[in-house]
Amino acid sequence: MISKDSIESAYCFCHQKWNIYSKSTMDWQKDDIEYAIENYVDGMNSELYEYLSAGDGSFLRDHANFSSDIQRAISLLEKMME
């Protein structure tokens, strides 16, 4: 079961990190944010991660796709909160 709290927590965390990441010009800062998100999803509700990732185990864990992944996650989480 995916609780409302886990959805809201994930949304807040991802949204906050995306706001910084998307404006940052410092590679080290972006790397730190990617690392923080990866650590966050490691402890995330497994059903929520499965839903967001659509079964892709590299979702939010792959540097090359991080930007599109986090935007997708935020969009899905927003829809889940409606």
Side-chain angles (χ1 to χ4, degrees), residues 41 44-53 56-57 59 61:
V41 299
M44 178 186 279
N45 175 297
S46 59
E47 290 178 53
L48 178 57
Y49 182 74
E50 182 67 27
Y51 174 76
L52 296 175
S53 69
D56 178 3
F59 185 74
R61 294 183 166 116

Side-chain angles (χ1 to χ4, degrees), residues 9-77:
S9 292
Y11 174 78
C12 289
F13 191 75
C14 290
H15 190 266
Q16 176 201 36
K17 297 302 181 193
W18 173 246
N19 281 337
I20 297 166
Y21 185 93
S22 65
K23 295 171 181 68
S24 180
T25 59
M26 298 174 278
D27 288 338
W28 65 266
Q29 186 177 43
K30 288 183 173 189
D31 289 343
D32 285 354
I33 290 170
E34 289 180 30
Y35 181 74
I37 293 288
E38 183 176 350
N39 283 325
Y40 183 83
V41 299
D42 285 344
M44 178 186 279
N45 175 297
S46 59
E47 290 178 53
L48 178 57
Y49 182 74
E50 182 67 27
Y51 174 76
L52 296 175
S53 69
D56 178 3
S58 67
F59 185 74
L60 293 171
R61 294 183 166 116
D62 178 28
H63 174 74
N65 297 317
F66 182 80
S67 180
S68 61
D69 285 354
I70 195 165
Q71 290 176 76
R72 180 174 182 270
I74 291 168
S75 177
L76 289 170
L77 290 162

